[in-house]
Amino acid sequence: MVFRVRSHSRSGWCLALIAVAALCLAPATQASNTKSRSASVHASYLALGDSLAFGYSQAKFNSLLPSEPASAYNTGYVDDFGKVLRLFHPGLRVVNDGCPGETTDSLINGPCQYQLAFPLHHPYSGGVASSQLSDALAYLAAHPGSVNPITIDIGANDALAVNRACNADPACIAAQAPALITHIATNLGSILQQLRAAAPNAQIIVLGLYNPFGATIAGADQLTMALNTAEAQVAGSVNARFADPFPLFNPAGAREQPTLCVLTNICTPLVDIHPTDLGYLALAGVVARQYAFHFGFGGF
């Protein structure tokens, strides 16, 4: 494992530079566009999602037991993207509703199971039995016009539940895939429609999925791409942008596994699917690139 990471350190640093470049583009582009800048004044960045929004890693969780202070999880993509936003908006408040283990169903209906045992970055105003979506809508209602942007990542735990139920059997997963994709798309559509109604002028960025298993589960890459296509279509229907991490985390061919070893903890003894700090930075870069598009930047 150590040899793999070192032998591909150049690839890892290139990925880091891509992420940093994308992060830097958002404030730079915004500063060059006065009209867009004036329309983007905001006091809060609202982050929604699962363990990725929370900034989770299994090693950190194990080391912190039994207290699990949420403040210790401060190297996630929400933290990285928030730092970029604060370069231009120093007083920006980051409201991180991320819940480890969250599915599209539990985000809508609650509860966040993690919150029943451990603290979140932003405890839900309706109490531990309430849902993440209800907290987000309550926050938007209490701060009309001042929340921008909103990011969300969701759907990975829906997919992981199918993987577990199928015992990672490719044929079983393939058979369940159409219903899974429809379920995620339907729930995500409901979530985004409610967010858009509550925040009609906010930038909403949907962060898609990467496949931490790479080529070890036949067809998993194809399923992840299909899920991302569905999420991108749903995002577009409410004028939200879609940030796709798959090409960065899952490059085609022989580079896929060593890249996953750099950007996730899948190659560690814990076999943790969550990103490394570098991986979280890469996710922030993917999100920041979509943020920059809003200000007229067409890509790099």
Side-chain angles (χ1 to χ4, degrees), residues 15 214 221 245-260 263:
L15 291 170
D221 278 352
F246 184 85
L248 195 59
F249 279 69
N250 299 95
R255 293 184 298 133
E256 183 175 32
Q257 190 58 33
T259 299
L260 287 170
L263 296 183

Side-chain angles (χ1 to χ4, degrees), residues 51-163:
S51 55
L52 297 186
F54 186 82
Y56 183 92
S57 80
Q58 190 63 51
K60 185 172 288 186
F61 179 86
N62 293 350
S63 70
L64 292 172
L65 278 173
S67 61
E68 299 299 335
S71 60
Y73 294 89
N74 59 1
T75 59
Y77 82 84
V78 170
D79 302 281
D80 292 331
F81 183 46
K83 289 174 184 175
V84 169
L85 295 175
R86 284 190 176 121
L87 292 175
F88 202 75
H89 303 281
L92 181 77
R93 180 186 182 192
V94 177
V95 180
N96 187 345
D97 269 359
C99 165
E102 196 84 295
T103 65
T104 57
D105 285 325
S106 63
L107 191 147
I108 294 171
N109 301 312
C112 163
Q113 292 292 329
Y114 186 91
Q115 190 177 205
L116 299 179
F118 306 109
L120 297 179
H121 291 287
H122 181 244
Y124 300 163
S125 58
V128 295
S130 64
S131 73
Q132 183 172 170
L133 180 59
S134 67
D135 185 72
L137 295 175
Y139 188 83
L140 291 170
H143 302 84
S146 67
V147 180
N148 189 14
I150 300 169
T151 61
I152 179 170
D153 70 273
I154 199 68
N157 288 308
D158 300 61
L160 287 169
V162 169
N163 182 52

